């Protein structure tokens, strides 16, 4: 299920759980703009995942211009031919921030996977550009991606559907709209079968900023972490597909803005610790 590309990653990476504020305080999108380090960055909005790209682009154009973008580029890649087109690759190469909209993550990976456009996104990140995405544009960021599974009864062997993501961040699996759509059992099933993966459940209007081994929570919503690295045991290997899973000693953490998590030591970091590490938030509210 894993894509083979291994890339050196230098630029900031932000994953958002969906339905983020685009007006008012808009904490998360303002933070994304601030991460570029430029007063007037160029933002490329990729609407591949969306079925209504015109409306989605218009909403983000208004938001990013409000927050100081010099240009907001409409990177409207709709098929694999577009994903190879010089026009769209050039837009990505010009962007200080590459933003992946929400929609259908399978469409996103199908259209962009193994393309010149995806190569350009990875190259921009190695050059220090910001890569951010919301909903589907966040779920695709991990090397293994969740794309289905009933929220009502996913704690059954094989109930959660997974495939390859883009591999922008390692050793996590990201799920979005997490609290609003009751997706706890999805990440518990993932963690039972893949204990090395940290489950990152992003609520709406909540996000995380990946910075090396440190993950920082953003926005007014909740970030739920499902850590199965110390599970005491499970019956999963004895089951047939569809049978209920038993598992013990799964850890869960709820983070809010200003809190973080050390993915190396698997430890929650409070606001004071983040400040001591020099990792305090720099969100502009004005």
């Amino acid at each position: 299920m894993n894509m083979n590309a291994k890339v050196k990653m230098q630029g900031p990476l932000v994953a958002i759980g969906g339905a983020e504020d685009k007006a008012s305080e808009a904490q998360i999108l303002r933070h994304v703009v601030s991460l570029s380090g430029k007063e007037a960055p160029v933002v490329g909005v990729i609407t591949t995942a969306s079925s209504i790209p015109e409306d989605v682009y218009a909403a983000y154009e208004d938001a990013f211009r409000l927050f100081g973008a010099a240009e907001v580029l409409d990177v409207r890649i709709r098929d694999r031919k577009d994903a190879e087109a010089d026009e769209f690759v050039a837009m990505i190469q010009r962007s200080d921030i590459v933003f992946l909209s929400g929609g259908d993550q399978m469409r996103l990976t199908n259209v962009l996977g193994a393309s010149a456009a995806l190569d350009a996104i990875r190259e921009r990140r190695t050059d220090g550009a910001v890569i951010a995405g919301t909903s589907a544009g966040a779920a695709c960021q991990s090397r293994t991606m969740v794309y289905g599974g009933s929220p009502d009864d996913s704690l059954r062997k094989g109930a959660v559907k997974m495939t390859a993501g883009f591999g922008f961040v390692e050793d996590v699996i990201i799920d979005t709209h997490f609290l609003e759509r009751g997706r706890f059992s999805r990440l518990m099933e993932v963690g039972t079968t893949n204990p090395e993966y940290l489950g990152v459940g992003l609520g709406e209007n909540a996000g995380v900023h990946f910075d090396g081994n440190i993950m920082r929570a953003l926005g007014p919503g909740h970030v739920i972490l499902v850590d199965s690295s110390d599970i005491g045991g499970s019956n999963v290997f004895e089951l047939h597909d569809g049978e209920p899973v038993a598992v013990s000693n799964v850890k869960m953490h709820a983070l809010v803005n200003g809190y973080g998590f050390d993915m190396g030591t698997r430890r929650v970091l409070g606001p004071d610790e983040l400040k001591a590490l020099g990792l305090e938030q720099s969100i502009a509210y004005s």
Side-chain angles (χ1 to χ4, degrees):
M1 290 196 309
N2 292 338
M3 291 184 176
N4 292 326
K6 292 275 187 177
V7 293
K8 180 181 178 183
M9 299 177 185
Q10 295 178 344
L13 180 67
V14 176
I16 307 165
E20 71 281 357
D21 183 11
K22 299 177 186 64
S24 184
E25 291 187 349
Q27 296 176 21
I28 300 172
L29 294 183
R30 288 178 185 268
H31 185 71
V32 169
V33 171
S34 74
L35 287 173
S36 72
K38 297 188 175 183
E39 288 187 11
V42 175
V43 182
V45 178
I46 299 177
T47 54
T48 303
S50 177
S51 61
I52 49 170
E54 297 89 351
D55 294 342
V56 169
Y57 168 72
Y60 284 109
E61 181 185 26
D62 290 345
F64 283 120
R65 286 193 182 278
L66 178 65
F67 307 144
E71 293 183 78
V72 183
L73 307 178
D74 186 0
V75 191
R76 197 172 299 183
I77 297 172
R78 304 309 297 162
D79 54 34
R80 291 196 61 80
K81 183 178 178 181
D82 289 342
E84 298 295 335
D86 292 344
E87 172 191 2
F88 293 120
V89 170
M91 287 183 179
I92 293 167
Q93 290 170 337
R94 287 185 56 213
S95 298
D96 302 303
I97 300 167
V98 178
F99 189 88
L100 298 161
S101 81
D104 183 342
Q105 60 258 47
M106 285 292 283
R107 176 179 174 82
L108 192 59
T109 55
N110 173 263
V111 172
L112 292 183
S115 71
L118 183 57
D119 287 343
I121 294 170
R122 289 179 169 140
E123 288 168 5
R124 288 302 297 130
R125 190 170 181 213
T126 64
D127 292 338
V130 181
I131 309 300
T134 186
S135 190
C140 72
Q141 294 181 11
S142 49
R143 188 161 297 281
T144 300
M145 178 183 78
V146 171
Y147 73 91
S150 169
D152 298 328
D153 194 15
S154 287
L155 199 53
R156 293 177 178 272
K157 186 174 181 177
V160 179
K161 299 176 182 179
M162 294 182 286
T163 188
F166 291 150
F168 296 155
V169 60
E170 302 285 353
D171 302 326
V172 305
I173 290 186
I174 299 168
D175 209 347
T176 59
H177 304 279
F178 191 70
L179 294 169
E180 294 76 11
R181 299 183 186 178
R183 290 176 167 171
F184 279 90
S185 62
R186 296 209 319 188
L187 285 188
M188 285 192 70
E189 200 272 346
V190 169
T192 302
T193 55
N194 299 274
E196 74 276 20
Y197 287 130
L198 176 69
V200 180
L202 303 176
E204 293 181 355
N205 206 15
V208 289
H209 170 192
F210 294 101
D211 186 2
N213 278 337
I214 304 300
M215 176 174 53
R216 286 175 273 172
L218 304 171
H222 278 90
V223 175
I224 307 298
L225 304 182
V226 180
D227 183 359
S228 302
S229 58
D230 292 326
I231 59 173
S234 173
N235 65 342
V236 69
F237 51 87
E238 302 169 350
L239 303 177
H240 297 293
D241 280 356
E243 292 185 321
V245 173
V247 60
S248 61
N249 205 38
V250 175
K251 299 177 185 176
M252 288 193 181
H253 309 287
L255 307 184
V256 296
N257 186 61
Y259 283 76
F261 190 78
D262 187 323
M263 294 187 291
T265 61
R266 299 279 176 135
R267 190 169 62 86
V268 173
L269 304 173
D272 290 340
E273 277 192 280
L274 287 180
K275 289 179 181 179
L277 291 170
L279 296 171
E280 62 270 22
Q281 304 293 348
S282 57
I283 298 173
Y285 291 95
S286 58

